[in-house]
Amino acid sequence: MQSSQRWTKKLAFATFAVFLVIVPLSYHHAIPIQRYREYITGDTVVELKTNNEQPQTQYFKFEPEWDWDVPDYASSLNGFKREPKPKNVIILTASDGGGHNSQIPNLLERVLENREEYCNRHGYTNLWLNTSRYDIGDSHRVWAKIPALAEAFYLHPKAEWIWLMDADMIIMTPSVPLISTILSPSAIEKSIMRNTMLLNGTRPPTNIFTPTRYRVEDVDILITQDHQFVNAGSIFFRRSAFTRFFLEMMTDKTMLMGKEHHLAEQNAIKHLMLEHELVRKHVGIFPQRSFNAYAAGGPHMLWSEGDLAVHFAGCWVHNQCRRWFEDYWAKRGRERAGR
């Protein structure tokens, strides 16, 4: 009897030992153990994969990415004050490499490298999404930036702010951080332009102004205004219920997304700001050179040493894109080399 019990114990021990050896070996090519050691509740363990080759199968508003989540604290229009963590700031390049700037050699590869270096320096996330994947019907191709923005929020459920940058931009001063200078509540309080007239091109003055008093916690979108009107080439979007609502409004196919709006998404943003006080309370205008300086223009627009980024808006009008880009590319980040 005792002998039988000893053999039973030995067999159980041997079985357990085999289990300890075989099971880890069978999974050693799956997820590295270090990923589990660093795992925090709510984080994604499976590696994030972005498919920039496969087109979406249906109109963008029917895709699951359009239905991205908003956390409870951001699910109403009451607003909230919150300073984002660097890892929850996304720099999004939504482009297929074409358009007016295709004459610039290797444009997409170069600006993505420029943005990756900047993100690595500050702990942000660099993301490229191929806009040729999105079905936007017969609307202008520039509208594809909007489903890309939605997909970025969907792919990164913890992202708090997304900087949507056109491809024809260079980060010139990589030492400038986004959070303390642009995205924190104190930075918004300091830089947002109050009682500023909204422009509408060469038409008579609109006499429509940004709020004299802002509730900083209500500000969900940051944009700049040049000598004509707001410019959509460089915008910050916060994950919030208002941002979701705003994207729904601006992509209204009948009212704002049709071909008659020759400035596409930029025209839609301008229209909503001019027509709706609620929008003006949630969309803040910053001084243009804060994050959207131009390669040409007046003092309040023209890039100056120390400005964060330069945008080659309108360079195609006089066929200057390649020359301007190469000139500024050679000057990028010089302040870092001198320190």
Side-chain angles (χ1 to χ4, degrees):
M1 181 68 177
Q2 292 179 348
S3 176
S4 175
Q5 289 178 343
R6 284 197 299 270
W7 277 107
T8 301
K9 291 180 179 179
K10 289 181 179 179
L11 180 61
F13 179 81
T15 302
F16 182 69
V18 170
F19 176 85
L20 290 178
V21 173
I22 292 178
V23 171
L25 286 176
S26 65
Y27 286 94
H28 82 284
H29 287 302
I31 300 174
I33 190 65
Q34 188 63 29
R35 293 296 304 278
Y36 286 104
R37 290 175 180 151
E38 298 172 351
Y39 176 71
I40 301 174
T41 302
D43 285 351
T44 302
V45 175
V46 179
E47 294 286 355
L48 176 70
K49 292 185 178 180
T50 303
N51 187 345
N52 271 317
E53 302 297 330
Q54 187 68 32
Q56 292 188 339
T57 59
Q58 54 192 339
Y59 189 64
F60 74 93
K61 284 195 173 182
F62 301 138
E63 292 286 345
E65 290 84 355
W66 188 250
D67 189 27
W68 48 276
D69 291 331
V70 172
D72 289 342
Y73 65 80
S75 61
S76 75
L77 296 182
N78 292 330
F80 58 95
K81 281 188 177 181
R82 184 181 176 96
E83 183 167 308
K85 297 178 180 178
K87 66 179 181 179
N88 295 331
V89 175
I90 310 292
I91 295 182
L92 171 62
T93 305
S95 172
D96 60 6
H100 293 303
N101 303 301
S102 56
Q103 63 176 280
I104 301 173
N106 303 314
L107 171 67
L108 193 55
E109 292 83 355
R110 295 164 78 180
V111 298
L112 288 176
E113 179 183 0
N114 173 243
R115 295 167 194 188
E116 182 70 18
E117 291 173 353
Y118 180 66
C119 287
N120 289 341
R121 177 170 184 154
H122 295 281
Y124 313 139
T125 298
N126 187 35
L127 177 64
W128 166 59
L129 291 175
N130 184 354
T131 52
S132 64
R133 296 171 48 245
Y134 305 110
D135 180 357
I136 56 170
D138 60 355
S139 298
H140 192 289
R141 287 307 306 168
V142 73
W143 277 106
K145 294 193 298 184
I146 307 306
L149 176 64
E151 184 172 14
F153 276 123
Y154 181 87
L155 290 172
H156 295 269
K158 290 186 176 295
E160 297 183 53
W161 282 94
I162 293 180
W163 184 10
L164 178 60
M165 298 178 70
D166 276 359
D168 60 338
M169 292 185 68
I170 300 173
I171 294 174
M172 297 294 292
T173 313
S175 61
V176 176
L178 295 180
I179 296 173
S180 61
T181 59
I182 299 172
L183 299 180
S184 68
S186 59
I188 295 174
E189 180 75 48
K190 177 182 178 181
S191 298
I192 200 166
M193 298 175 69
R194 300 166 175 83
N195 198 32
T196 299
M197 185 184 294
L198 298 177
L199 303 180
N200 193 17
T202 58
R203 299 174 185 177
T206 64
N207 292 318
I208 298 174
F209 295 82
T210 60
T212 302
R213 294 182 179 180
Y214 274 99
R215 291 181 72 246
V216 172
E217 54 266 43
D218 289 342
V219 179
D220 296 293
I221 298 171
L222 302 175
I223 196 169
T224 63
Q225 180 173 248
D226 57 25
H227 61 297
Q228 296 193 84
F229 26 66
V230 291
N231 180 267
S234 178
I235 315 178
F236 287 90
F237 293 89
R238 183 167 70 160
R239 182 187 293 273
S240 69
F242 174 82
T243 297
R244 278 207 54 161
F245 177 59
F246 186 81
L247 297 185
E248 289 284 0
M249 287 195 297
M250 69 180 292
T251 53
D252 185 304
K253 181 68 175 177
T254 303
M255 300 298 294
L256 293 174
M257 205 174 162
K259 287 187 174 181
E260 65 273 16
H261 296 283
H262 68 287
L263 293 175
E265 89 293 11
Q266 185 165 283
N267 198 73
I269 295 172
K270 179 189 70 173
H271 171 81
L272 292 171
M273 292 188 71
L274 288 172
E275 292 293 329
H276 301 283
E277 183 181 6
L278 174 65
V279 172
R280 294 194 292 274
K281 290 180 178 179
H282 287 265
V283 181
I285 294 180
F286 264 45
Q288 185 173 350
R289 287 170 46 199
S290 298
F291 52 84
N292 195 21
Y294 285 177
H300 78 285
M301 297 189 295
L302 181 63
W303 182 86
S304 181
E305 190 75 26
D307 291 342
L308 173 59
V310 64
H311 183 194
F312 303 101
C315 64
W316 48 272
V317 175
H318 299 293
N319 198 31
Q320 295 292 322
C321 295
R322 182 170 184 171
R323 184 175 71 83
W324 286 359
F325 185 90
E326 298 300 347
D327 287 348
Y328 278 92
W329 184 258
K331 294 189 290 187
R332 74 193 190 286
R334 282 186 171 176
E335 99 295 337
R336 181 173 58 181
R339 292 181 180 178

